[in-house]
Amino acid sequence: MEPRIGVYICHCGSNIAGTVDCEDVARFAQGLEGVVIARDYKFMCSEPGQDLIKQDIRELGVNRVVVASCSPTMHEPTFRRACQEAGLNPYFFEMANIREHCSWVTEDRAKATQKAMALVSAAVRRVYYHQSLESREVDINPNTLVVGGGIAGIQAALKVADSGHRVYLVERSSSIGGHMAQLDKTFPTLDCSACILTPKMTLVGSHPYIELLTYSEIEEIAGYVGNFKVKIRKKARYVDWSKCTGCGRCQELCPTIVSNEFEVGLGKRKAIYKPFAQAVPNKVVIDAENCRHLKGLAEGKDVCRLCQRGIEKKGVPGCEVGAIDFTQQDEVVEVEVGAIIVTTGFHLFDPTPIHQYGYGRLDNVITSMEFERMVNSAGPTGGHVLLKDGTEPESVALIHCVGSRDEQYHKYCSRVCCMYSMKFAHLLKEHTSADVYEFYIDIRSFGKGYEEFYNRILEEGTVFFRGKPAEITDVAETPQEEGKLIVQFEDTLVGRQRRVPVDMVVLSCGLEPQPDSETVARLFNISRSADGFFLEKHPKLDPVATMTDGIFIAGCCQSPKDIPDTVAQASAAAAEALAMISRGKVEIEAATAVINEHLCTGCQVCMANCPYSAIAFDEEKGVCQVNEALCKGCGVCVGGCPGDAVSLNHYTNEQLLAQMEGALV
Amino acid sequence: MKDYAFYPGCSAESTGRGYGLSVQAVAGSLEIQLIELEDWNCCGSTPYGSLNELEAMVVAARNLALAEKTGLDLVTPCSSCYVTLKKANLHLQDHPRLMAMVNEALAVAGLEYHGKVSVRHIVEVLTDDITPGLITEKIKRRLEGLKVAPYYGCQLVRPQYGFDDAELPGSLDSLIECLGAEAVPYPVKARCCGGSLILSEEDLALGLINKLLKSAADNGAHCLATPCPLCQTNLDAYQGKVNSKFKTGYNLPVFFITQLIGLALGLDDKSLGLDTNIVSPRDVLTQLAGVKSGT
Amino acid sequence: MRNFVDEVAATPGGEHVLSCIQCGTCTGSCPVADSMEYPPRKIIAMVRAGMRDEVLSSNSMWFCLSCYLCTVRCPRGVKPTELAHALESLAVRQGYRVSGTVTPALYHSFVNSIKRNGRVHEFGMMVRFYLSVIPYLISRPLSTIKMLPVGWSLWRHRRLPLMPHKVKEKGKLPEILQKFSEIRGSC
């Protein structure tokens, strides 16, 4: 079939036409060999734009289509579909990126137009050699994996499971709940966090379609959208959870006391523990790093085991269901899922490097999470706000933007700190009779009910100073400052430097990505944006999908946000996963590798190099063969074959060489 | 024996005489050679940059060009010279067109600068090149029982050029401790003494000096040690004025850090310029001598 | 220059003036903020408001001690210390008179000493400075008289040589600076 090429130059409004002379490029394209029609149009991806293509296929017998517009990641599927609807195999389509690769990277009109012509010429020469290909459809595994058991993971898991599809919810610590379980009241409604969270946690724990794997981590992920194979390591907890009733007797018996991470270092736990009383699952784990018996085993000693033995002398029994099992090992299980939702949450910024704020050096300078635990009635101080010496503060300073909006730490705004700082002010007025001062640069109370909350806090008597504190010091300059922490700042609305002595300083620390986010990103094969959070496919139009099909992100692991937005994103991710699952099938790129059996010598270099284990050796024929279902079209085998026996559909040598020559106009 | 090109700074033979003398005195014992830059000119410091920022760069660049000819690192004991020369150096390296203009002017004196010099402070050299460990090995007597407030001043650690911490530095503390003395906690260790404004805004500067002396006294210091000639002059020569204005009774000798190191190395008072210190260090030295004799 | 902000942004040291979010960390850190006519943050706001005369005739930047606390703490990388010096430079170049401080006279004496000797002759500089601000000295007679003991003390301790050290040919600085202003003038 003689190629009859149709070329379409998109203006993309002024995105392309503002820099590239589209009419000129269209005129140029018309003169290229094989081109029967070349047009330029304002928005090729719109319906009238697509209709131009379809019309030309039907009426002018166009059988090869080139669209010069944006990136293929944006609209290659759109135009391929348009071709298909007009009866043309979608692989007879080629896209030239004259936006992201051309009009968006220069302001020089002459150079941009010239480059656009080169890109179009390359596409035209290439499309000449395109072949018709059939894309495959594979079944989608209806299971979903949710990674991270905070509120985002809990919400996503429930939404998917409620549809009757199975969910594996994996959480690193021994209980789900995440940071939300650590909070006291939540803004702007001042709902008690545990009261709204624990019902959801209980639902997860008892849901027939959710398999909860806590104290577990993802070890390995293989496969592709609809067909992921995931290895999960269930860490040894040295307690048989099928027997453990969560009675807590062992916790009382254990003699080892260590700092409790859930209480952010303000409280203690034992080596055998539940992170908090409402843990789901309601089971204990043994912390091998601190357990005396487990440490003793390494030296061949048999010590302690009080949790198991009890105190024989006093007739106090140990675990009455015999759940303690010091022989337990890590267990690796493998599950198969079709969609993965990553909800690994955030890490609180550590303000130690900000020397001028004195965290870690001055008593009574604390972080926001430390304050949350302190003011929580179930926390280490029983809900009392206390100074190091056990007395109540008479004045408290709340400092905004610690580690956020700061070139030296994190440039971004952490979105929730203004609101939670104001929440702290309210709680301080509720729990104490202290004077409360908020030090801010801007008040960001953007959400539903948020500005009204700000008004309420103002009326309750908290004093707001507009000025980012320069330093917190204990060096007094007047008698009134003796024994106090002094906040030195500029009251910018008054225009003067001032010093305010207080008893306690709470640093509103920002939210940052988890410390292992790089490792996790690599594990899931997703990208991160410049600030280190996981990268969404499109910030406005596709905020919960990633560039890796089948893997979604939700909550603070994508960017700092409050609970309403987190829950909304989690539901969105669940919806996207369910959309995939209910379709039942997913289309796989037809650009797979093909081995010419006549040329293959059976050296198996391709097999050794294939990252997807998609090539197998046929003993009988003595040649290698590609499993199309597994092949991702990466091309490693093509490059590696010493005999040039492998070619890649839709990326043949012929096509690529033509493309290169076409670019050299 | 490591060689350095040495830029003493204008105060080294006048208000900073004690520093100029003690730096050269300890250099010999610490196996470094400080070779004075020939016919160096004033770096310009803050005042020149304030009157004419580009001309100030030329003035600084002449010294950089002279230093480049030696092929050695350029070391200065004066914090202000350090910041001025370093800033000019970095700015010229980043702005080739300006460098070309400056070189066209320097050519009149047969000089040219290519951006190859590394500007360093003597404290940086003592800490990073020589190291406190080596100093401890070389000292002849430990300054046991001496409580010193380590006063860094501002420009040794700010702006941040990668040496020490901008808010709570520790290099001087280490240098003091390696001599066997005690570096007392000193929260205002890197705060401003008032600098050259002691001459034009005296009351303001005296207030700042008072805060520094008060904190040192409150923390039990017997004396202060500093790496900046202007800071030393302010704290030392004006201590009397602080006492009369604020009705305080400070009697805190202010050593240059190299004077303290020299004492520990067993060098004599004269070569360390200890007679130039205005608040007399006599009592402190007597106390030290008492320690040495085992009482 | 279109306006004052552009002029400042084009001066070395003033490049980042547009990045300021007016948080006040600079003023909060400044040891002499209370003495300035306008504190540092406000000066930046005034620059952006195009208040050329008010800014360049203010005494604010002349109080800057170059302690750089503002610079290391500014969350936007504005470098207020360098900005202060840039504004001083502009004020001098455009002939603004500053009231409320004699620091400009001090700086002039300092620079003149360099031009005369190649280095700063501290004693000479101080004498010439005081002579140039006699009205100021007369306005505070007691403090002025109390300067004498300090000077005497410094001289007695060999820290105030009466004669300058002259650099050979002043290091050819006058010729170098002359050539530089010619090059600059032709830009």
Side-chain angles (χ1 to χ4, degrees):
Chain A
M1 191 184 20
E2 187 60 34
R4 292 172 64 78
I5 307 171
V7 182
Y8 306 86
I9 317 294
C10 185
H11 290 218
C12 194
S14 64
N15 277 312
I16 297 176
T19 317
V20 171
D21 187 339
C22 296
E23 282 145 18
D24 212 8
V25 177
R27 266 191 297 272
F28 164 79
Q30 185 77 63
L32 293 172
E33 192 181 321
V35 173
V36 300
I37 184 75
R39 300 182 194 280
D40 65 279
Y41 182 65
K42 262 216 167 353
F43 294 104
M44 279 308 298
C45 56
S46 66
E47 214 171 295
Q50 293 182 48
D51 281 344
L52 283 175
I53 300 174
K54 295 182 197 173
Q55 207 172 1
D56 287 346
I57 292 173
R58 283 192 284 262
E59 293 174 16
L60 295 181
V62 160
N63 58 26
R64 300 275 192 281
V65 174
V66 169
V67 173
S69 59
C70 51
S71 163
T73 44
M74 285 237 61
H75 281 305
E76 187 171 61
T78 312
F79 296 120
R80 276 189 180 171
R81 213 176 309 124
C83 293
Q84 197 162 35
E85 283 165 15
L88 184 65
N89 184 287
Y91 288 87
F92 282 129
F93 168 76
E94 176 67 8
M95 205 146 155
N97 183 343
I98 61 170
R99 192 181 74 171
E100 281 87 339
H101 286 185
C102 190
S103 70
W104 273 1
V105 299
T106 182
E107 286 171 0
D108 186 327
R109 284 193 66 96
K111 285 190 181 165
T113 307
Q114 210 172 25
K115 181 170 178 180
M117 288 181 183
L119 291 169
V120 167
S121 161
V124 165
R125 288 288 303 276
R126 189 197 205 281
V127 83
Y128 190 95
Y129 294 102
H130 278 202
Q131 302 288 326
S132 121
L133 294 168
E134 295 306 319
S135 51
R136 302 159 290 131
E137 258 190 353
V138 289
D139 286 333
I140 290 183
N141 183 306
N143 300 336
T144 303
L145 170 69
V146 177
V147 184
I151 182 62
I154 288 170
Q155 176 74 3
L158 286 172
K159 288 298 168 204
V160 174
D162 280 349
S163 73
H165 291 102
R166 169 183 286 249
V167 175
Y168 297 101
L169 176 54
V170 176
E171 162 59 42
R172 181 156 53 182
S173 68
S174 66
S175 167
I176 53 176
H179 284 301
M180 192 174 164
Q182 292 174 297
L183 307 181
D184 180 40
K185 302 260 168 60
T186 55
F187 58 78
T189 49
L190 297 171
D191 287 303
C192 151
S193 184
C195 307
I196 55 176
L197 177 64
T198 45
K200 290 210 184 224
M201 283 169 59
T202 315
L203 277 175
V204 166
S206 59
H207 203 292
Y209 287 102
I210 298 181
E211 191 168 323
L212 188 51
L213 294 129
T214 61
Y215 215 59
S216 305
E217 297 200 40
I218 306 291
E219 184 124 301
E220 200 185 282
I221 302 180
Y224 54 96
V225 57
N227 297 275
F228 293 108
K229 284 198 183 20
V230 184
K231 289 209 178 102
I232 303 168
R233 176 174 292 270
K234 293 169 69 170
K235 299 184 288 195
R237 51 221 62 190
Y238 307 102
V239 175
D240 183 346
W241 277 12
S242 65
K243 295 184 182 153
C244 175
T245 60
C247 73
R249 162 88 53 81
C250 50
Q251 284 184 115
E252 286 162 22
L253 290 165
C254 178
T256 307
I257 304 176
V258 294
S259 178
N260 188 349
E261 302 86 347
F262 185 79
E263 303 291 5
V264 215
L266 292 179
K268 306 282 184 202
R269 61 165 173 81
K270 302 295 185 75
I272 185 166
Y273 71 103
K274 263 187 283 186
F276 52 100
Q278 302 77 26
V280 170
N282 185 20
K283 315 273 181 196
V284 290
V285 297
I286 298 183
D287 162 14
E289 261 176 49
N290 290 299
C291 168
R292 290 180 206 203
H293 178 74
L294 288 170
K295 287 203 288 193
L297 281 183
E299 293 162 30
K301 292 190 255 188
D302 176 13
V303 300
C304 194
R305 283 195 294 117
L306 281 174
C307 50
Q308 196 177 45
R309 301 181 319 190
I311 307 172
E312 293 107 341
K313 266 186 283 188
K314 293 196 180 163
V316 175
C319 175
E320 291 192 298
V321 295
I324 312 284
D325 175 11
F326 289 107
T327 65
Q328 206 179 72
Q329 303 284 322
D330 286 357
E331 190 193 333
V332 176
V333 298
E334 191 167 312
V335 302
E336 288 181 16
V337 298
I340 300 179
I341 304 177
V342 178
T343 49
T344 48
F346 70 88
H347 182 258
L348 194 72
F349 174 76
D350 176 0
T352 309
I354 309 183
H355 293 310
Q356 63 267 36
Y357 284 171
Y359 178 73
R361 179 172 49 92
L362 298 171
D363 281 345
N364 301 313
V365 176
I366 62 176
T367 65
S368 41
M369 196 55 92
E370 286 169 351
F371 183 78
E372 285 276 2
R373 293 314 302 156
M374 218 195 269
V375 84
N376 192 314
S377 56
T381 59
H384 295 289
V385 180
L386 298 173
L387 301 173
K388 271 259 165 65
D389 63 8
T391 62
E392 226 183 59
E394 287 174 351
S395 49
V396 183
L398 300 162
I399 317 287
H400 291 213
C401 303
V402 177
S404 308
R405 300 186 70 187
D406 194 331
E407 246 190 29
Q408 295 178 58
Y409 305 104
H410 295 296
K411 285 192 179 166
Y412 54 81
C413 162
S414 290
R415 198 172 168 113
V416 298
C417 323
C418 277
M419 287 306 296
Y420 79 55
S421 303
M422 292 198 277
K423 175 189 81 175
F424 287 173
H426 170 84
L427 291 170
L428 280 165
K429 291 292 183 191
E430 217 179 57
H431 288 236
T432 74
S433 52
D435 290 330
V436 182
Y437 306 104
E438 296 231 6
F439 297 85
Y440 70 98
I441 309 175
D442 298 285
I443 295 293
R444 296 184 164 177
S445 50
F446 54 90
K448 186 165 182 173
Y450 287 15
E451 184 69 15
E452 296 89 327
F453 188 73
Y454 175 31
N455 286 333
R456 173 183 181 171
I457 304 306
L458 284 167
E459 280 162 21
E460 281 174 1
T462 295
V463 179
F464 283 74
F465 292 127
R466 188 191 178 280
K468 184 175 157 115
E471 65 184 75
I472 317 269
T473 177
D474 61 352
V475 178
E477 284 181 6
T478 65
Q480 296 92 323
E481 290 182 358
E482 289 289 344
K484 300 274 196 188
L485 289 172
I486 300 116
V487 180
Q488 185 172 302
F489 69 110
E490 183 192 2
D491 189 332
T492 65
L493 297 175
V494 164
R496 208 182 290 165
Q497 189 188 86
R498 292 179 53 196
R499 289 165 66 97
V500 173
V502 294
D503 292 324
M504 175 187 261
V505 173
V506 182
L507 301 175
S508 296
C509 300
L511 275 49
E512 56 180 32
Q514 293 271 26
D516 62 351
S517 59
E518 192 183 331
T519 316
V520 171
R522 225 173 270 153
L523 186 64
F524 289 92
N525 196 25
I526 56 180
S527 307
R528 297 185 302 152
S529 38
D531 52 25
F533 290 100
F534 296 139
L535 185 62
E536 64 288 322
K537 196 161 185 191
H538 189 282
K540 287 184 275 283
L541 300 178
D542 220 347
V544 296
T546 63
M547 296 298 275
T548 304
D549 288 341
I551 302 194
F552 307 95
I553 50 179
C556 288
C557 66
Q558 182 258 349
S559 75
K561 55 178 66 72
D562 50 27
I563 295 168
D565 288 343
T566 298
V567 170
Q569 269 200 347
S571 297
E576 297 218 11
L578 286 173
M580 256 179 52
I581 291 170
S582 69
R583 214 184 305 133
K585 289 189 187 293
V586 69
E587 216 176 86
I588 303 290
E589 252 304 319
T592 51
V594 171
I595 297 178
N596 182 335
E597 298 189 355
H598 299 297
L599 294 175
C600 175
T601 59
C603 72
Q604 297 176 55
V605 165
C606 56
M607 208 168 108
N609 284 313
C610 177
Y612 300 96
S613 309
I615 301 183
F617 182 62
D618 185 328
E619 297 277 356
E620 247 186 76
K621 294 191 189 172
V623 296
C624 283
Q625 283 165 338
V626 175
N627 177 342
E628 283 186 343
L630 294 173
C631 174
K632 292 285 279 179
C634 73
V636 165
C637 52
V638 179
C641 176
D644 217 6
V646 195
S647 67
L648 192 55
N649 280 340
H650 207 54
Y651 289 88
T652 63
N653 288 348
E654 213 175 26
Q655 289 161 357
L656 295 175
L657 286 168
Q659 191 173 22
M660 283 187 256
E661 284 173 11
L664 298 169
V665 284
Chain B
M1 181 64 77
K2 182 147 184 215
D3 289 347
Y4 297 89
F6 186 57
Y7 182 85
C10 300
S11 66
E13 279 170 17
S14 52
T15 49
R17 185 182 290 272
Y19 205 6
L21 289 170
S22 55
V23 163
Q24 286 290 12
V26 304
S29 304
L30 295 176
E31 293 173 9
I32 60 166
Q33 214 183 163
L34 299 171
I35 305 165
E36 189 169 326
L37 213 47
E38 201 181 321
D39 273 333
W40 53 271
N41 58 285
C42 177
C43 67
S45 190
T46 313
Y48 215 130
S50 299
L51 298 189
N52 193 325
E53 77 283 9
L54 285 179
E55 229 178 72
M57 223 152 273
V58 179
V59 166
R62 181 177 174 278
N63 296 303
L64 295 172
L66 288 172
E68 196 176 59
K69 285 206 291 190
T70 67
L72 303 166
D73 281 354
L74 181 59
V75 178
T76 180
C78 170
S79 300
S80 186
C81 305
Y82 170 65
V83 167
T84 307
L85 291 169
K86 192 132 189 150
K87 205 170 12 129
N89 196 18
L90 292 171
H91 191 86
L92 288 171
Q93 286 169 352
D94 282 340
H95 294 82
R97 263 187 298 181
L98 178 63
M99 173 99 93
M101 272 169 66
V102 167
N103 277 332
E104 213 182 311
L106 289 177
V108 157
L111 292 169
E112 204 183 336
Y113 184 53
H114 305 98
K116 298 223 173 48
V117 173
S118 178
V119 176
R120 311 184 61 201
H121 194 287
I122 188 69
V123 170
E124 196 190 334
V125 169
L126 288 166
T127 309
D128 292 346
D129 293 6
I130 297 171
T131 76
L134 183 85
I135 298 176
T136 307
E137 275 173 37
K138 295 223 173 260
I139 59 177
K140 300 264 172 41
R141 66 163 173 175
R142 295 175 61 77
L143 306 179
E144 293 284 352
L146 184 64
K147 292 184 187 231
V148 187
Y151 178 57
Y152 294 73
C154 302
Q155 299 188 338
L156 172 62
V157 295
R158 294 188 297 274
Q160 256 297 302
Y161 289 127
F163 177 65
D164 216 343
D165 185 82
E167 300 270 354
L168 291 173
S171 53
L172 270 188
D173 296 63
S174 304
L175 287 175
I176 290 167
E177 305 250 317
C178 82
L179 305 174
E182 182 190 330
V184 302
Y186 192 36
V188 292
K189 55 168 57 166
R191 294 305 164 89
C192 194
C193 66
S196 47
L197 261 63
I198 189 67
L199 295 172
S200 57
E201 294 291 339
E202 191 182 281
D203 292 333
L204 192 57
L206 288 178
L208 295 176
I209 298 168
N210 183 31
K211 280 191 217 180
L212 295 169
L213 292 170
K214 178 172 192 303
S215 183
D218 286 349
N219 282 288
H222 298 138
C223 60
L224 292 95
T226 185
C228 171
L230 194 42
C231 297
Q232 198 278 349
T233 305
N234 281 9
L235 288 165
D236 186 25
Y238 287 86
Q239 199 167 127
K241 271 214 158 188
V242 168
N243 279 335
S244 74
K245 181 178 167 78
F246 294 100
K247 310 284 181 281
T248 47
Y250 304 123
N251 184 25
L252 293 163
V254 185
F255 291 103
F256 287 105
I257 183 65
T258 40
Q259 286 178 322
L260 266 189
I261 296 177
L263 280 172
L265 289 171
L267 301 175
D268 65 283
D269 293 4
K270 191 86 204 282
S271 68
L272 297 175
L274 282 170
D275 62 319
T276 67
N277 290 41
I278 291 171
V279 175
S280 174
R282 200 180 319 124
D283 290 340
V284 161
L285 294 176
T286 315
Q287 183 195 338
L288 272 179
V291 169
K292 183 193 176 189
S293 60
T295 53
Chain C
M1 293 294 156
R2 274 189 305 131
N3 57 41
F4 188 41
V5 175
D6 287 340
E7 194 179 343
V8 172
T11 310
E15 299 93 340
H16 309 282
V17 69
L18 289 169
S19 303
C20 173
I21 55 170
Q22 292 284 298
C23 72
T25 300
C26 47
T27 305
S29 305
C30 183
V32 294
D34 286 340
S35 303
M36 295 179 170
E37 208 171 322
Y38 311 103
R41 172 205 54 86
K42 192 156 181 184
I43 287 281
I44 295 174
M46 287 164 73
V47 167
R48 298 209 296 214
M51 296 164 74
R52 173 197 294 271
D53 288 340
E54 291 90 333
V55 171
L56 294 182
S57 64
S58 82
N59 64 27
S60 295
M61 47 273 196
W62 298 99
F63 277 92
C64 176
L65 303 160
S66 302
C67 79
Y68 288 98
L69 267 179
C70 54
T71 302
V72 300
R73 292 175 180 175
C74 172
R76 275 294 198 262
V78 173
K79 304 198 178 159
T81 311
E82 309 298 354
L83 175 65
H85 297 320
L87 291 173
E88 286 166 331
S89 250
L90 281 173
V92 166
R93 208 181 308 148
Q94 294 177 17
Y96 282 87
R97 289 194 59 90
V98 175
S99 66
T101 180
V102 294
T103 303
L106 173 64
Y107 288 177
H108 275 102
S109 311
F110 189 96
V111 172
N112 288 337
S113 188
I114 299 175
K115 292 188 171 164
R116 208 175 293 119
N117 304 301
R119 293 183 195 166
V120 172
H121 174 224
E122 287 172 338
F123 178 68
M125 173 199 87
M126 274 160 45
V127 168
R128 284 174 206 266
F129 164 57
Y130 288 133
L131 287 175
S132 74
V133 295
I134 291 187
Y136 165 74
L137 296 176
I138 293 176
S139 72
R140 39 202 313 281
L142 276 175
S143 290
T144 303
I145 292 170
K146 287 188 190 166
M147 285 304 298
L148 294 170
V150 177
W152 171 247
S153 183
L154 282 167
W155 183 81
R156 217 169 28 94
H157 286 82
R158 307 193 291 138
R159 292 166 74 166
L160 212 53
L162 297 176
M163 297 308 293
H165 173 121
K166 294 245 184 212
V167 180
K168 197 168 65 176
E169 292 185 306
K170 304 180 197 179
K172 286 227 165 105
L173 270 181
E175 291 90 329
I176 295 173
L177 293 173
Q178 165 72 12
K179 180 81 185 169
F180 187 70
S181 76
E182 280 166 22
I183 304 167
R184 232 178 128 183
S186 64
C187 284

